[in-house]
Amino acid sequence: LDDLIRTIDGFLNTKSDIHLSMASSSHSCSGCGKEVRPRQHALLCDNCHQWRHRVCDTNMTQEMYSCS
């Protein structure tokens, strides 16, 4: 989780470490373990290549997500 938070912090400063996207295929959230489905707000980490729902302990607001 600390690595993810550092990655998000880096993204907010550089916009190069994670991708904000709608998942195009079935992936599990690294936070809750549930499926990340299309049209859900999710983050893909370039470092660990794992998806995480925006609401699963990312500290990223909907506004921050929408502005990215």
Side-chain angles (χ1 to χ4, degrees):
L1 181 57
D2 291 336
D3 288 338
L4 179 63
I5 292 171
R6 281 192 291 277
T7 300
I8 291 170
D9 287 341
F11 170 77
L12 295 176
N13 293 321
T14 66
K15 294 191 177 188
S16 64
D17 288 345
I18 59 175
H19 300 283
L20 303 180
S21 182
M22 292 185 293
S24 59
S25 61
S26 180
H27 297 279
S28 294
C29 173
S30 63
C32 68
K34 295 181 181 177
E35 181 182 5
V36 176
R37 295 178 302 200
R39 301 186 186 265
Q40 289 183 322
H41 290 182
L43 309 162
L44 174 62
C45 178
D46 278 347
N47 295 325
C48 66
H49 306 288
Q50 294 184 7
W51 285 93
R52 184 175 286 245
H53 294 111
R54 178 189 58 81
V55 296
C56 291
D57 297 321
T58 65
N59 296 322
M60 182 176 277
T61 65
Q62 184 171 354
E63 182 180 345
M64 292 164 61
Y65 185 92
S66 298
C67 290
S68 301

Coordinates of all heavy atoms in Angstrom, one line a residue:
L1 N 0.8 -1.2 0.0 CA 0.0 0.0 0.0 C 0.9 1.3 0.0 O 0.6 2.2 -0.7 CB -0.9 0.0 1.2 CG -1.9 1.2 1.3 CD1 -2.7 1.3 0.1 CD2 -2.8 1.0 2.5
D2 N 1.9 1.2 0.8 CA 2.8 2.4 0.8 C 3.4 2.7 -0.6 O 3.6 3.8 -1.0 CB 3.9 2.2 1.8 CG 3.4 2.3 3.3 OD1 2.4 2.9 3.5 OD2 4.1 1.7 4.1
D3 N 3.8 1.6 -1.3 CA 4.3 1.7 -2.6 C 3.3 2.4 -3.6 O 3.6 3.2 -4.4 CB 4.8 0.4 -3.2 CG 6.1 -0.1 -2.5 OD1 6.8 0.7 -2.0 OD2 6.3 -1.3 -2.6
L4 N 2.0 1.9 -3.4 CA 1.0 2.5 -4.3 C 0.8 4.0 -4.0 O 0.7 4.8 -4.9 CB -0.3 1.7 -4.1 CG -1.5 2.2 -4.9 CD1 -1.3 2.1 -6.3 CD2 -2.8 1.5 -4.5
I5 N 0.8 4.3 -2.7 CA 0.6 5.7 -2.4 C 1.8 6.6 -2.9 O 1.6 7.7 -3.4 CB 0.5 5.9 -0.8 CG1 -0.9 5.3 -0.4 CG2 0.6 7.4 -0.4 CD1 -1.0 5.2 1.1
R6 N 3.0 6.1 -2.8 CA 4.2 6.8 -3.4 C 4.0 6.9 -4.9 O 4.3 7.9 -5.5 CB 5.5 6.1 -3.0 CG 5.9 6.4 -1.6 CD 7.4 5.9 -1.4 NE 7.5 4.4 -1.4 CZ 7.2 3.7 -0.3 NH1 6.9 4.2 0.8 NH2 7.4 2.4 -0.4
T7 N 3.5 5.9 -5.5 CA 3.3 5.9 -7.0 C 2.3 6.9 -7.3 O 2.5 7.7 -8.3 CB 2.9 4.5 -7.5 OG1 3.9 3.6 -7.2 CG2 2.7 4.5 -9.0
I8 N 1.2 7.0 -6.6 CA 0.2 8.0 -6.8 C 0.7 9.4 -6.6 O 0.5 10.3 -7.4 CB -1.1 7.7 -6.0 CG1 -1.8 6.5 -6.4 CG2 -2.1 8.9 -6.0 CD1 -2.9 6.0 -5.6
D9 N 1.5 9.6 -5.5 CA 2.1 10.9 -5.3 C 3.0 11.3 -6.4 O 3.0 12.4 -6.9 CB 2.9 10.9 -4.0 CG 2.0 10.8 -2.7 OD1 0.8 11.2 -2.8 OD2 2.6 10.5 -1.7
G10 N 3.7 10.3 -7.0 CA 4.6 10.6 -8.1 C 3.8 10.9 -9.3 O 4.1 11.8 -10.1
F11 N 2.7 10.2 -9.5 CA 1.8 10.5 -10.6 C 1.3 11.9 -10.6 O 1.3 12.6 -11.6 CB 0.6 9.5 -10.7 CG -0.4 9.9 -11.7 CD1 -0.2 9.7 -13.0 CD2 -1.6 10.6 -11.3 CE1 -1.2 10.1 -13.9 CE2 -2.5 11.0 -12.2 CZ -2.3 10.7 -13.5
L12 N 0.9 12.3 -9.4 CA 0.4 13.7 -9.3 C 1.4 14.7 -9.6 O 1.1 15.8 -10.1 CB -0.2 13.9 -7.9 CG -1.4 13.0 -7.5 CD1 -1.8 13.3 -6.1 CD2 -2.6 13.3 -8.4
N13 N 2.7 14.4 -9.5 CA 3.8 15.3 -9.8 C 4.3 15.1 -11.2 O 4.7 16.1 -11.8 CB 4.9 15.2 -8.8 CG 4.5 15.6 -7.4 OD1 3.8 16.6 -7.3 ND2 4.9 14.9 -6.4
T14 N 4.3 13.9 -11.7 CA 4.9 13.6 -13.0 C 4.0 13.0 -14.1 O 4.3 13.1 -15.2 CB 6.1 12.6 -12.9 OG1 5.6 11.4 -12.5 CG2 7.1 13.1 -11.9
K15 N 2.9 12.5 -13.7 CA 1.9 11.8 -14.6 C 2.6 10.7 -15.4 O 2.2 10.5 -16.5 CB 1.2 12.8 -15.4 CG 0.3 13.8 -14.6 CD -0.6 14.6 -15.5 CE -1.5 15.4 -14.7 NZ -2.5 16.1 -15.4
S16 N 3.5 10.0 -14.9 CA 4.2 9.0 -15.7 C 4.2 7.6 -15.0 O 4.5 6.6 -15.6 CB 5.6 9.4 -16.0 OG 6.4 9.4 -14.8
D17 N 3.9 7.5 -13.7 CA 4.0 6.2 -13.0 C 2.8 5.3 -13.1 O 2.9 4.1 -12.9 CB 4.4 6.4 -11.6 CG 5.8 6.9 -11.4 OD1 6.6 6.8 -12.4 OD2 6.1 7.4 -10.3
I18 N 1.6 5.9 -13.2 CA 0.4 5.1 -13.3 C -0.5 5.6 -14.4 O -0.4 6.7 -14.9 CB -0.4 5.1 -11.9 CG1 -0.8 6.6 -11.6 CG2 0.4 4.5 -10.8 CD1 -1.7 6.6 -10.4
H19 N -1.4 4.7 -14.8 CA -2.4 5.1 -15.8 C -3.7 5.1 -15.2 O -4.1 4.1 -14.5 CB -2.3 4.0 -17.0 CG -1.0 3.9 -17.6 ND1 -0.6 4.8 -18.6 CD2 0.0 3.0 -17.5 CE1 0.6 4.5 -19.0 NE2 1.0 3.4 -18.3
L20 N -4.5 6.1 -15.5 CA -5.9 6.1 -15.1 C -6.7 5.6 -16.3 O -6.5 6.0 -17.4 CB -6.4 7.5 -14.8 CG -5.6 8.2 -13.8 CD1 -6.2 9.6 -13.6 CD2 -5.6 7.5 -12.5
S21 N -7.5 4.6 -16.1 CA -8.1 3.9 -17.3 C -9.3 3.1 -16.9 O -9.5 2.8 -15.7 CB -7.1 3.1 -18.0 OG -7.6 2.5 -19.1
M22 N -10.1 2.8 -17.9 CA -11.1 1.8 -17.7 C -10.5 0.4 -18.1 O -9.9 0.3 -19.2 CB -12.3 2.1 -18.5 CG -13.0 3.3 -18.1 SD -14.5 3.6 -19.0 CE -13.9 4.0 -20.7
A23 N -10.6 -0.5 -17.2 CA -10.0 -1.8 -17.5 C -10.7 -2.4 -18.8 O -12.0 -2.3 -18.9 CB -10.2 -2.8 -16.3
S24 N -10.0 -2.9 -19.7 CA -10.6 -3.5 -20.9 C -10.8 -5.0 -20.8 O -11.5 -5.6 -21.7 CB -9.7 -3.1 -22.1 OG -8.4 -3.7 -21.9
S25 N -10.2 -5.6 -19.8 CA -10.4 -7.1 -19.6 C -10.5 -7.3 -18.1 O -10.3 -6.4 -17.3 CB -9.4 -7.9 -20.3 OG -8.1 -7.5 -19.8
S26 N -10.7 -8.5 -17.8 CA -10.9 -8.9 -16.4 C -9.6 -8.8 -15.6 O -8.6 -9.5 -16.0 CB -11.5 -10.3 -16.3 OG -11.7 -10.6 -14.9
H27 N -9.6 -8.0 -14.6 CA -8.4 -7.9 -13.6 C -9.0 -7.8 -12.2 O -10.0 -7.3 -12.0 CB -7.6 -6.6 -13.9 CG -7.0 -6.6 -15.3 ND1 -5.8 -7.3 -15.6 CD2 -7.4 -6.0 -16.4 CE1 -5.5 -7.1 -16.9 NE2 -6.4 -6.4 -17.4
S28 N -8.2 -8.3 -11.3 CA -8.5 -8.2 -9.9 C -7.9 -7.0 -9.3 O -6.8 -6.6 -9.6 CB -8.1 -9.4 -9.1 OG -8.7 -10.6 -9.6
C29 N -8.7 -6.3 -8.4 CA -8.1 -5.2 -7.6 C -7.1 -5.6 -6.6 O -7.4 -6.6 -5.9 CB -9.3 -4.5 -7.0 SG -8.8 -3.1 -5.9
S30 N -6.0 -5.0 -6.6 CA -5.0 -5.4 -5.6 C -5.3 -4.9 -4.2 O -4.7 -5.4 -3.2 CB -3.6 -4.8 -6.0 OG -3.7 -3.4 -6.0
G31 N -6.4 -4.1 -4.0 CA -6.8 -3.7 -2.7 C -7.9 -4.6 -2.1 O -7.7 -5.1 -1.0
C32 N -9.0 -4.8 -2.9 CA -10.1 -5.6 -2.4 C -10.2 -7.0 -2.9 O -11.0 -7.8 -2.4 CB -11.4 -4.8 -2.6 SG -11.9 -4.7 -4.3
G33 N -9.5 -7.2 -4.0 CA -9.6 -8.6 -4.6 C -10.8 -8.8 -5.6 O -10.8 -9.8 -6.3
K34 N -11.7 -7.8 -5.6 CA -12.8 -7.9 -6.6 C -12.4 -7.5 -8.0 O -11.4 -6.9 -8.2 CB -14.0 -7.0 -6.1 CG -14.5 -7.4 -4.7 CD -15.7 -6.5 -4.4 CE -16.2 -6.9 -3.0 NZ -17.3 -6.0 -2.6
E35 N -13.2 -7.9 -8.9 CA -12.9 -7.6 -10.3 C -13.0 -6.1 -10.6 O -13.9 -5.4 -10.1 CB -14.0 -8.3 -11.2 CG -13.7 -8.1 -12.7 CD -14.8 -8.7 -13.6 OE1 -15.8 -9.3 -13.0 OE2 -14.7 -8.7 -14.8
V36 N -12.0 -5.6 -11.4 CA -12.1 -4.2 -11.9 C -12.8 -4.3 -13.2 O -12.3 -4.9 -14.2 CB -10.7 -3.6 -12.0 CG1 -10.7 -2.3 -12.6 CG2 -9.9 -3.6 -10.7
R37 N -14.0 -3.7 -13.3 CA -14.8 -3.9 -14.5 C -14.7 -2.6 -15.3 O -14.4 -1.5 -14.8 CB -16.2 -4.1 -14.1 CG -16.4 -5.5 -13.4 CD -17.8 -5.7 -13.0 NE -18.2 -4.6 -12.1 CZ -19.2 -4.6 -11.2 NH1 -20.0 -5.7 -11.2 NH2 -19.5 -3.6 -10.4
P38 N -15.1 -2.7 -16.6 CA -15.1 -1.5 -17.5 C -16.0 -0.5 -16.9 O -17.0 -0.8 -16.2 CB -15.7 -2.1 -18.8 CG -15.3 -3.5 -18.8 CD -15.4 -3.9 -17.4
R39 N -15.6 0.8 -17.1 CA -16.4 1.9 -16.6 C -16.2 2.2 -15.1 O -16.7 3.2 -14.5 CB -17.8 1.9 -16.9 CG -18.1 1.8 -18.4 CD -19.6 1.9 -18.7 NE -19.8 1.7 -20.1 CZ -19.9 2.6 -21.0 NH1 -19.8 3.9 -20.7 NH2 -20.1 2.3 -22.3
Q40 N -15.4 1.4 -14.4 CA -15.1 1.7 -13.0 C -13.8 2.5 -13.0 O -12.9 2.3 -13.8 CB -14.8 0.4 -12.2 CG -16.1 -0.4 -11.9 CD -15.8 -1.6 -11.1 OE1 -14.8 -2.3 -11.2 NE2 -16.7 -1.9 -10.2
H41 N -13.7 3.4 -12.1 CA -12.5 4.2 -11.9 C -11.4 3.3 -11.3 O -11.6 2.7 -10.3 CB -12.7 5.4 -11.0 CG -13.6 6.4 -11.5 ND1 -13.8 7.6 -10.8 CD2 -14.2 6.6 -12.7 CE1 -14.6 8.4 -11.6 NE2 -14.9 7.8 -12.7
A42 N -10.3 3.2 -12.1 CA -9.2 2.3 -11.6 C -7.9 2.8 -12.0 O -7.8 3.6 -12.9 CB -9.4 0.9 -12.3
L43 N -6.9 2.4 -11.3 CA -5.5 2.8 -11.5 C -4.7 1.6 -11.9 O -4.8 0.5 -11.3 CB -4.9 3.4 -10.3 CG -5.7 4.5 -9.6 CD1 -5.2 4.6 -8.1 CD2 -5.6 5.7 -10.3
L44 N -3.8 1.7 -12.9 CA -2.9 0.6 -13.3 C -1.5 1.1 -13.0 O -1.0 2.1 -13.5 CB -3.0 0.3 -14.7 CG -2.0 -0.7 -15.3 CD1 -2.2 -2.1 -14.6 CD2 -2.2 -0.9 -16.8
C45 N -0.8 0.4 -12.1 CA 0.6 0.8 -11.7 C 1.6 0.3 -12.7 O 1.6 -0.9 -13.0 CB 0.8 0.2 -10.3 SG 2.5 0.6 -9.7
D46 N 2.4 1.2 -13.2 CA 3.5 0.7 -14.1 C 4.6 -0.1 -13.4 O 5.2 -0.9 -14.0 CB 4.2 2.0 -14.7 CG 3.4 2.5 -15.9 OD1 2.5 1.8 -16.4 OD2 3.7 3.6 -16.3
N47 N 4.7 0.1 -12.1 CA 5.8 -0.6 -11.4 C 5.4 -2.0 -11.1 O 6.1 -3.0 -11.3 CB 6.1 0.1 -10.1 CG 6.7 1.5 -10.3 OD1 7.5 1.6 -11.3 ND2 6.4 2.4 -9.5
C48 N 4.2 -2.3 -10.5 CA 3.8 -3.6 -10.2 C 2.8 -4.2 -11.2 O 2.4 -5.4 -11.0 CB 3.2 -3.6 -8.8 SG 1.6 -2.7 -8.6
H49 N 2.3 -3.4 -12.1 CA 1.3 -3.9 -13.1 C 0.1 -4.5 -12.6 O -0.5 -5.4 -13.1 CB 2.0 -4.9 -14.1 CG 3.3 -4.4 -14.7 ND1 3.3 -3.4 -15.6 CD2 4.6 -4.7 -14.4 CE1 4.5 -3.1 -16.0 NE2 5.3 -3.9 -15.2
Q50 N -0.4 -3.9 -11.5 CA -1.6 -4.3 -10.8 C -2.7 -3.2 -10.9 O -2.3 -2.0 -10.8 CB -1.4 -4.7 -9.4 CG -0.5 -6.0 -9.3 CD -0.4 -6.4 -7.8 OE1 -1.0 -5.9 -6.9 NE2 0.5 -7.4 -7.6
W51 N -3.9 -3.6 -11.0 CA -5.0 -2.7 -11.0 C -5.5 -2.4 -9.6 O -5.4 -3.3 -8.7 CB -6.2 -3.2 -11.8 CG -6.0 -3.1 -13.3 CD1 -5.4 -4.1 -14.1 CD2 -6.3 -2.0 -14.1 NE1 -5.4 -3.6 -15.4 CE2 -5.9 -2.4 -15.4 CE3 -6.8 -0.8 -13.9 CZ2 -6.1 -1.5 -16.5 CZ3 -7.0 0.1 -15.0 CH2 -6.6 -0.3 -16.3
R52 N -6.0 -1.3 -9.3 CA -6.7 -1.0 -8.0 C -7.8 0.0 -8.3 O -7.7 1.0 -9.0 CB -5.7 -0.3 -7.1 CG -6.2 -0.1 -5.7 CD -5.2 0.4 -4.7 NE -4.3 -0.7 -4.3 CZ -4.2 -1.2 -3.1 NH1 -4.9 -0.7 -2.1 NH2 -3.4 -2.1 -2.8
H53 N -9.0 -0.3 -7.7 CA -10.1 0.7 -7.8 C -9.7 2.0 -7.1 O -8.9 2.0 -6.2 CB -11.3 0.1 -7.0 CG -11.9 -1.1 -7.5 ND1 -11.8 -2.3 -6.9 CD2 -12.6 -1.3 -8.7 CE1 -12.5 -3.2 -7.6 NE2 -13.0 -2.6 -8.7
R54 N -10.1 3.1 -7.7 CA -9.8 4.4 -7.2 C -10.2 4.5 -5.7 O -9.5 5.1 -4.9 CB -10.5 5.5 -8.0 CG -10.2 6.9 -7.4 CD -11.1 8.0 -8.1 NE -12.5 7.7 -8.0 CZ -13.2 8.0 -6.9 NH1 -12.7 8.6 -5.8 NH2 -14.5 7.8 -6.9
V55 N -11.3 3.9 -5.3 CA -11.8 4.0 -3.9 C -11.1 3.0 -3.0 O -11.4 3.1 -1.8 CB -13.3 3.8 -3.9 CG1 -14.0 4.9 -4.7 CG2 -13.7 2.4 -4.4
C56 N -10.3 2.2 -3.4 CA -9.6 1.2 -2.5 C -8.3 1.7 -2.0 O -7.2 1.4 -2.5 CB -9.4 -0.1 -3.3 SG -10.9 -1.0 -3.6
D57 N -8.3 2.6 -1.0 CA -7.2 3.1 -0.3 C -6.2 3.8 -1.2 O -4.9 3.6 -1.0 CB -6.5 2.0 0.5 CG -7.4 1.4 1.6 OD1 -8.1 2.2 2.2 OD2 -7.3 0.2 1.8
T58 N -6.6 4.5 -2.2 CA -5.7 5.3 -3.0 C -5.5 6.7 -2.6 O -4.6 7.4 -3.1 CB -6.1 5.2 -4.5 OG1 -7.3 5.9 -4.7 CG2 -6.2 3.8 -5.1
N59 N -6.5 7.2 -1.8 CA -6.5 8.6 -1.4 C -6.7 9.5 -2.6 O -6.3 10.7 -2.6 CB -5.3 9.0 -0.6 CG -5.2 8.3 0.7 OD1 -6.2 8.0 1.3 ND2 -4.0 7.9 1.1
M60 N -7.2 9.0 -3.7 CA -7.4 9.8 -4.9 C -8.9 10.1 -5.0 O -9.7 9.2 -5.0 CB -7.0 9.1 -6.2 CG -7.2 9.9 -7.4 SD -6.6 9.1 -8.9 CE -4.8 9.6 -8.8
T61 N -9.3 11.4 -5.0 CA -10.7 11.8 -5.1 C -11.2 11.6 -6.5 O -10.4 11.5 -7.4 CB -10.8 13.3 -4.6 OG1 -10.2 14.1 -5.6 CG2 -10.3 13.5 -3.2
Q62 N -12.5 11.7 -6.6 CA -13.1 11.6 -8.0 C -12.6 12.8 -8.8 O -12.4 12.7 -10.0 CB -14.6 11.5 -7.9 CG -15.3 11.4 -9.2 CD -16.8 11.1 -9.1 OE1 -17.3 10.9 -8.0 NE2 -17.4 11.0 -10.2
E63 N -12.5 14.0 -8.2 CA -12.1 15.2 -8.8 C -10.6 15.0 -9.4 O -10.3 15.3 -10.5 CB -12.1 16.4 -7.9 CG -11.7 17.7 -8.6 CD -11.8 18.9 -7.7 OE1 -12.5 18.8 -6.6 OE2 -11.2 19.9 -8.0
M64 N -9.8 14.5 -8.5 CA -8.4 14.2 -9.0 C -8.3 13.2 -10.1 O -7.6 13.4 -11.1 CB -7.5 13.7 -7.8 CG -7.3 14.7 -6.7 SD -6.7 13.9 -5.2 CE -5.2 13.2 -5.7
Y65 N -9.1 12.2 -10.1 CA -9.2 11.2 -11.1 C -9.7 11.8 -12.4 O -9.1 11.6 -13.5 CB -10.1 10.0 -10.7 CG -10.1 8.9 -11.7 CD1 -9.3 7.8 -11.5 CD2 -11.0 8.9 -12.7 CE1 -9.3 6.8 -12.4 CE2 -11.1 7.8 -13.6 CZ -10.2 6.8 -13.4 OH -10.2 5.7 -14.3
S66 N -10.8 12.6 -12.3 CA -11.4 13.2 -13.5 C -10.5 14.2 -14.2 O -10.5 14.4 -15.4 CB -12.7 13.9 -13.1 OG -13.6 12.9 -12.7
C67 N -9.6 14.9 -13.4 CA -8.7 15.9 -13.9 C -7.5 15.3 -14.6 O -6.8 16.0 -15.3 CB -8.3 16.9 -12.8 SG -9.6 17.9 -12.2
S68 N -7.2 14.0 -14.4 CA -6.0 13.4 -14.9 C -6.2 13.0 -16.3 O -7.1 12.7 -16.9 CB -5.6 12.2 -14.1 OG -5.4 12.6 -12.8

